[in-house]
Amino acid sequence: ANSGTIEVVLRDGTRLPAELIGRNADYDLAVVKVDKTGMSPVAIGDSASVKVGDQAIAIGSPLGLEGTVTSGIVSALDRPVTAGGTDGSETSFISAIQTDAPINPGNSGGPLVNSEGQVMGVNSAIASLGSSAGGQAGSIGLGFAIPINTANRIAQEIIQTGTSATPVIGAEIDFNSSGQGARVQGVTAGSPAERAGLQAGDVIVAVDGQRVDDAVSLITEIRENAPGDQITLTLEGLSGRLIRNRP
């Protein structure tokens, strides 16, 4: 991203140098630009209307095999997952569309489309069997895509400004806490969390009525919003009250 080169390969084999307009590692998304006109864009769908059981078609280059298409169904919605490098850097937190359409390394960045050919998500992550399979990641019927409504919002921000902001509430969360909910370890001075009254020891159990199971699900729920949006957190613990907060 900082010193490499990017090349875009079109369907007819034409190779074009591309310019990185901007990226947001928190969402695992970037925008690149090529100097060519007359290309036809894909049809953009509405991920808010996606339902479990809908047909899902994944397009990409798994294992370097260009133009591969696989199909399945939407298995789950709003699945909190993480994606990122093996060294743990630039971890992305995604409230994902889950699908059993076979997705393998190389599908990332490709579209997940519905039965009408409309893009409903961007393929981003796959589950790994971990140590039980030697750490190999492959298609086990658990693939995840960034909802297109989120991806499109981030892309438009990057196109218009060159950057994209990530919403935060200004609270440190305990990733090692057990039990349902996300436990607050600390609150940043002057942050929305402090202004809303969050305290260390509070346990966030819901965002806008959506259950929060752990720290990852809290982050993915918050990142479904844009900076400046108002959300409602349901707390248990020291406060045991409802609060309103602005990311």
Side-chain angles (χ1 to χ4, degrees), residues 137-161:
S139 176
I140 55 174
L142 294 170
F144 306 97
I146 305 165
I148 193 58
N149 289 9
T150 298
N152 198 31
R153 175 177 65 81
I154 299 302
Q156 293 305 316
E157 288 180 7
I158 293 173
I159 290 169
Q160 293 169 16
T161 68

Side-chain angles (χ1 to χ4, degrees), residues 28 58-63 83-84 103-111 122-126 144-146:
D28 196 26
I59 304 173
S61 301
L63 307 180
I103 294 177
N104 289 281
N107 273 110
S108 293
V122 180
N123 302 324
S124 179
I126 56 178
F144 306 97
I146 305 165

Side-chain angles (χ1 to χ4, degrees), residues 17-94:
E19 174 189 359
L20 178 65
I21 301 300
R23 66 184 183 124
N24 187 319
D26 291 331
Y27 287 95
D28 196 26
L29 292 166
V31 173
V32 298
K33 179 181 179 180
V34 295
D35 186 16
K36 183 175 176 61
T37 60
M39 294 188 292
S40 299
V42 294
I44 300 298
D46 178 13
S47 53
S49 65
V50 175
K51 296 180 176 59
V52 173
D54 286 352
Q55 184 177 5
I57 303 167
I59 304 173
S61 301
L63 307 180
L65 302 174
E66 298 178 3
T68 295
V69 177
T70 55
S71 68
I73 62 168
V74 173
S75 306
L77 299 172
D78 302 320
R79 185 73 78 191
V81 297
T82 59
T86 55
D87 60 356
S89 64
E90 296 190 336
T91 300
S92 305
F93 294 85
I94 304 164

Side-chain angles (χ1 to χ4, degrees), residues 125-206:
I126 56 178
S128 170
L129 291 174
S131 58
S132 63
Q136 294 298 311
S139 176
I140 55 174
L142 294 170
F144 306 97
I146 305 165
I148 193 58
N149 289 9
T150 298
N152 198 31
R153 175 177 65 81
I154 299 302
Q156 293 305 316
E157 288 180 7
I158 293 173
I159 290 169
Q160 293 169 16
T161 68
T163 62
S164 173
T166 301
V168 297
I169 62 172
E172 181 182 354
I173 304 301
D174 182 3
F175 277 80
N176 297 316
S177 177
S178 60
Q180 192 251 322
R183 181 175 295 276
V184 177
Q185 276 188 322
V187 176
T188 303
S191 68
E194 183 186 60
R195 293 194 297 272
L198 257 68
Q199 304 172 36
D202 282 343
V203 178
I204 302 172
V205 295

